[in-house]
Amino acid sequence: MGLDKKLLLTSMSVSVVPLLGSSIASGFLYIKLRDIFSSYQYLLSCIPITAFTTGIASYIILGNIYFALYLVAASILASLIVPIVASQKYKSVETRITENYIEIDLKVPVNISSYDPNELFNHVYKKASRSIRNPYYSKKLGPLNNCGNLKLTHIGDDKMVLRRRCGELIVEVTITPQREASMSVRMAY
């Protein structure tokens, strides 16, 4: 799935602001996408714009090229740190341990531009599996692409449930009308 042009244009227009433009854009992108790697893809076009406007404005105001370079470096570094800090606030991973299962629930915003269920499941699975920090769980989720068929269930008019089973592992992706996908992983231990 490619970059959303509307989101790209919005982030690029915000990044014109000197010194803070790309930091504001990176915070906005992370809140919209809830994924650090996806927001970094958009930042590749925002950082050069902010670096250019910061360099020109700070050189005109301060008159010293070295201070201007320090400010450019600070604006680039700040825009890379903002999504990491925001990820701590908007953490959407919840783990529940029951008698028979370990359940991991992840909420991922999704752009439903493609209605192919396999592509949608793989997109949500890839995005959500990057959010799991525990190496045991991420190792268990690795070989899921080679397992059983995808089962599609419609609940109501707009809600869709995609389910794939791989041995003791059951991955269920629920897509709601609010364009948010919730991925639930159940594994026996």
Side-chain angles (χ1 to χ4, degrees), residues 1-99:
M1 297 192 172
L3 298 178
D4 183 16
K5 293 185 191 243
K6 183 179 176 185
L7 194 58
L8 181 64
L9 288 174
T10 305
S11 60
M12 286 176 70
S13 64
V14 169
S15 65
V16 173
V17 176
L19 196 63
L20 296 176
S22 59
S23 299
I24 295 168
S26 65
F28 168 74
L29 288 168
Y30 183 78
I31 290 171
K32 273 296 219 199
L33 300 171
R34 300 277 171 93
D35 185 31
I36 293 173
F37 299 107
S38 297
S39 58
Y40 280 164
Q41 289 176 348
Y42 287 91
L43 280 178
L44 288 176
S45 59
C46 296
I47 288 176
I49 296 170
T50 302
F52 179 73
T53 58
T54 301
I56 297 295
S58 59
Y59 181 72
I60 290 172
I61 292 171
L62 297 174
N64 191 340
I65 190 78
Y66 295 113
F67 290 130
L69 290 176
Y70 286 133
L71 290 176
V72 167
S75 69
I76 291 171
L77 186 63
S79 65
L80 296 176
I81 291 175
V82 167
I84 296 169
V85 172
S87 70
Q88 300 304 316
K89 181 179 179 185
Y90 293 103
K91 201 159 234 16
S92 60
V93 179
E94 183 180 327
T95 306
R96 289 188 300 276
I97 299 174
T98 62
E99 289 182 18

Side-chain angles (χ1 to χ4, degrees), residues 1 106-112 117-131 162 171-175 179-184:
M1 297 192 172
L106 300 149
K107 293 210 181 299
V108 177
V110 65
N111 184 6
I112 310 174
N118 283 317
E119 185 179 333
L120 200 56
F121 180 84
N122 290 334
H123 175 70
V124 172
Y125 177 75
K126 184 176 86 173
K127 235 179 171 181
S129 62
R130 286 191 299 221
S131 301
L162 307 169
V171 178
E172 188 174 282
V173 174
T174 306
I175 299 170
R179 294 180 179 241
E180 185 172 78
S182 174
M183 185 174 108
S184 176

Side-chain angles (χ1 to χ4, degrees), residues 153-161 175 177:
T153 309
H154 287 284
I155 300 173
D157 292 337
D158 296 330
K159 194 170 184 181
M160 183 177 11
V161 178
I175 299 170

